[in-house]
Amino acid sequence: MSKLFLMAGTKGGIGKTLAATLLADAASDAGYRSVLFDCDEENESLFNAMSGRSVEQILERYNLEENTAGNSFPLDMVMDRIFQIENDKEHYPGENVFGIDMKAGSSYTTLEWMKLFPFELLHEFSMDVYIVGVTTSDLDSLMTFLPWLLEFESQYKAGLVKFLVIRNQVDGNDEVQYREILASYMEKKMPDALMLSLNNLNRMYMAAIRRARTSYGRVGREPVAIPNMGLMSIFRCQSEFSAIKKALAPLFPAVEANGGLE
């Protein structure tokens, strides 16, 4: 079953692109084709991180602001591409994991567009749809994700969308704010929503991997030379990614590459 992960365009600098790369790398290792859309024309950090990998993937950039002229719904282009790939099993056999990385601060415009999001159609395609929220100890990261939960609670109850919350704890963990603002709501309204904590990532390694324009998964899979990182540092990155991949395993039942379930 193919899956679509929409990285909610909330606060910037909290690790949305990092989360997108971790999902894509874990999916690739499980046999899925990763199909990634970088919609952040200012940074293109997803495109930079995922270019040049040896695994099969599709990686495309979309400048939604440039393409708005004459098109009131620029994200339609991304969805049309998703349907085109999912329908063309002759050229794209197997299962896909689609990832859309949105520009920081784009929550309002994306939520407006998603008022006519094709949840039912994607359900007919047997595609799981996940809205991914990344939170940190910063209060804004919690507050800007809450509107997404409120907006799509009914679709969640209808089984048309799922939520994945990734807690990036590299800068610490304000457990009180998290419990009072987000966790209490989700426990009451969405008790089976998936939660993942990134509490073992090293900021120095994250910065080095970003500067090298690569990803944790690629460091674990391919011989990638990263300046100022020795063998032990690479080993620690590989160990970190292995732990994350294990946590994400329920999302990605193993499939044969370009084939079906094993």
Side-chain angles (χ1 to χ4, degrees):
M1 178 179 289
S2 292
K3 303 174 189 296
L4 168 60
F5 293 92
L6 174 61
M7 313 303 296
T10 54
K11 181 178 172 60
I14 59 176
K16 294 191 304 296
T17 299
L18 169 66
T21 67
L22 293 172
L23 288 165
D25 283 327
S28 293
D29 284 359
Y32 295 78
R33 178 190 298 104
S34 64
V35 185
L36 303 173
F37 303 96
D38 190 338
C39 298
D40 184 353
E41 72 281 352
E42 290 185 356
N43 298 308
E44 296 186 343
S45 51
L46 180 63
F47 187 89
N48 291 333
M50 305 306 278
S51 296
R53 296 195 309 163
S54 63
V55 298
E56 182 186 4
Q57 70 173 2
I58 298 171
L59 178 60
E60 299 180 358
R61 288 177 287 192
Y62 285 77
N63 186 335
L64 299 182
E65 291 187 358
E66 278 186 6
N67 289 288
T68 300
N71 181 359
S72 300
F73 309 102
L75 273 167
D76 283 5
M77 297 181 298
V78 177
M79 293 306 302
D80 287 343
R81 180 66 169 138
I82 288 174
F83 285 122
Q84 185 253 325
I85 292 171
E86 192 67 11
N87 270 318
D88 190 357
K89 289 302 182 183
E90 180 180 353
H91 293 96
Y92 307 108
E95 304 299 327
N96 300 300
V97 165
F98 300 97
I100 307 175
D101 192 20
M102 299 301 301
K103 181 179 178 179
S106 63
S107 272
Y108 177 77
T109 54
T110 306
L111 285 170
E112 282 294 304
W113 172 77
M114 288 187 70
K115 288 180 178 179
L116 287 177
F117 190 79
F119 288 109
E120 291 83 0
L121 184 57
L122 290 167
H123 188 68
E124 291 175 8
F125 270 71
S126 298
M127 186 184 301
D128 284 335
V129 178
Y130 289 85
I131 293 175
V132 184
V134 179
T135 68
T136 66
S137 57
D138 190 319
L139 178 61
D140 284 349
S141 71
L142 299 171
M143 298 303 296
T144 53
F145 184 52
L146 277 177
W148 293 78
L149 299 173
L150 297 170
E151 182 71 30
F152 301 113
E153 183 182 333
S154 60
Q155 287 87 351
Y156 167 83
K157 290 180 178 178
L160 299 176
V161 67
K162 301 177 182 180
F163 282 94
L164 170 62
V165 176
I166 296 179
R167 301 177 63 194
N168 185 0
Q169 297 174 278
V170 68
D171 287 328
N173 172 30
D174 191 328
E175 186 69 25
V176 175
Q177 286 187 349
Y178 173 78
R179 297 251 2 130
E180 290 182 352
I181 296 173
L182 189 63
S184 59
Y185 176 88
M186 298 193 73
E187 288 171 1
K188 181 179 178 181
K189 301 288 187 177
M190 305 171 180
D192 60 344
L194 298 172
M195 317 284 283
L196 171 66
S197 293
L198 303 180
N199 52 13
N200 59 343
L201 296 184
N202 181 291
R203 178 169 288 280
M204 181 181 67
Y205 297 159
M206 290 167 59
I209 289 171
R210 184 171 60 251
R211 286 195 300 269
R213 296 194 169 193
T214 188
S215 68
Y216 270 87
R218 188 179 178 197
V219 170
R221 185 187 304 109
E222 306 168 27
V224 180
I226 300 180
N228 302 319
M229 288 186 67
L231 180 61
M232 284 304 301
S233 296
I234 295 294
F235 174 76
R236 290 193 180 94
C237 288
Q238 293 171 342
S239 299
E240 290 171 355
F241 178 68
S242 293
I244 292 168
K245 188 165 64 172
K246 184 177 180 180
L248 291 172
L251 289 173
F252 306 118
V255 298
E256 296 178 6
N258 301 323
L261 290 171
E262 290 182 347

